[in-house]
Amino acid sequence: MAKLFENLRYVIIDELHSYRGVYGSHCANVLRRLKRLCAFHGSHPQFICCSATIANPRRWPAPGGEEFHLVERNGAPSGEKYFVFYNPPS
């Protein structure tokens, strides 16, 4: 396991949500312990969080208490889009 923590570069959290109560505390503690383990082994991984449901992610604190940068533009290539409006005869 030491090799894993020494070379860990990214921690990806998919579907980041706002958790409360016991479950929220548990999730926060797991992330803190992970950061502490990585620091002990000399790595400082970058946390990448994704969410399709949080309306304003800038107002939420980043996991681990570090500053985060919001990436809100999709840079993936996509084909042309056509919007067609059709009013069928009555």
Side-chain angles (χ1 to χ4, degrees):
M1 293 300 286
K3 190 97 168 151
L4 169 77
F5 292 118
E6 288 172 0
N7 297 311
L8 188 62
R9 293 183 61 195
Y10 303 106
V11 175
I12 300 173
I13 302 172
D14 191 18
E15 287 306 320
L16 182 67
H17 295 284
S18 171
Y19 295 118
R20 298 180 306 207
V22 174
Y23 186 71
S25 294
H26 179 68
C27 289
N29 285 328
V30 166
L31 291 175
R32 282 188 202 109
R33 288 179 188 144
L34 176 62
K35 282 186 63 170
R36 205 167 42 235
L37 263 171
C38 290
F40 177 78
H41 289 287
S43 69
H44 300 283
Q46 178 180 6
F47 283 79
I48 300 172
C49 305
C50 306
S51 176
T53 57
I54 294 179
N56 185 5
R58 286 190 177 114
R59 77 171 228 192
W60 300 105
E66 295 181 10
E67 183 181 340
F68 69 94
H69 304 280
L70 177 63
V71 178
E72 56 188 337
R73 294 185 64 199
N74 184 357
S78 64
E80 251 184 297
K81 293 179 178 73
Y82 297 98
F83 295 95
V84 178
F85 296 96
Y86 176 69
N87 188 9
S90 16

